[in-house]
């Protein structure tokens, strides 16, 4: 079984995960997004067959597993959007910059199942 994956954030960590997922037969990093066009282009060179989405929401909608390699600021919103759609999540650390907000994120994801 291949796990269709979205990578949100294509800076160094997102591109490293993209590289390693491409090597693993169980993962298909098929949906990619970053707000920085330069990062999108670097990832396009690595994975020209992937779908380069116009938004994080579009990437999340297309995949079964969401890898969030974005800064903590937008990460919470993306994580909650993915959880609301029943998507599996892999979050880059730290979860956030505020302990209470991070604890809230964990509780809300757990509540979403």
């Amino acid at each position: 079984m291949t796990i269709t994956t979205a990578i949100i954030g294509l800076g160094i960590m997102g591109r490293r995960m993209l590289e390693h997922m491409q090597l693993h037969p169980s993962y298909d990093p098929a949906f990619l997004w970053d707000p920085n066009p330069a990062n999108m282009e670097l990832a396009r060179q690595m994975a020209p067959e992937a779908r380069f989405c116009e938004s994080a929401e579009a990437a999340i909608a297309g995949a079964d597993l969401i890898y969030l390699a974005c800064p903590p600021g937008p990460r919470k919103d993306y994580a909650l959007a993915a959880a609301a759609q029943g998507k599996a999540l892999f979050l880059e650390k730290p979860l956030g910059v505020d302990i209470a907000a991070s604890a809230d994120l964990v509780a809300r994801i757990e509540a979403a199942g």
Side-chain angles (χ1 to χ4, degrees):
M1 178 176 113
T2 302
I3 301 167
T4 303
T5 305
I7 300 176
I8 309 298
L10 297 167
I12 190 66
M13 293 308 296
R15 291 194 313 273
R16 283 182 184 167
M17 185 61 77
L18 172 60
E19 176 184 7
H20 290 281
M21 283 186 172
Q22 288 176 310
L23 297 172
H24 198 292
S26 293
Y27 294 92
D28 177 17
F31 297 90
L32 309 176
W33 180 80
D34 192 289
N36 182 328
N39 287 346
M40 290 278 275
E41 183 53 36
L42 290 169
R44 191 180 316 277
Q45 293 171 20
M46 296 172 65
E49 71 287 351
R51 179 173 172 204
F52 289 83
C53 299
E54 294 185 14
S55 67
E57 293 78 12
I60 290 168
D64 299 315
L65 169 66
I66 314 305
Y67 173 61
L68 297 177
C70 55
R75 186 177 305 142
K76 182 176 182 179
D77 290 337
Y78 298 150
L80 293 174
Q85 294 177 42
K87 310 289 180 151
L89 285 165
F90 180 42
L91 283 71
E92 192 58 51
K93 64 179 182 169
L95 291 180
V97 295
D98 175 89
I99 293 173
S102 296
D104 177 62
L105 173 60
V106 170
R108 291 173 70 181
I109 289 172
E110 286 177 342

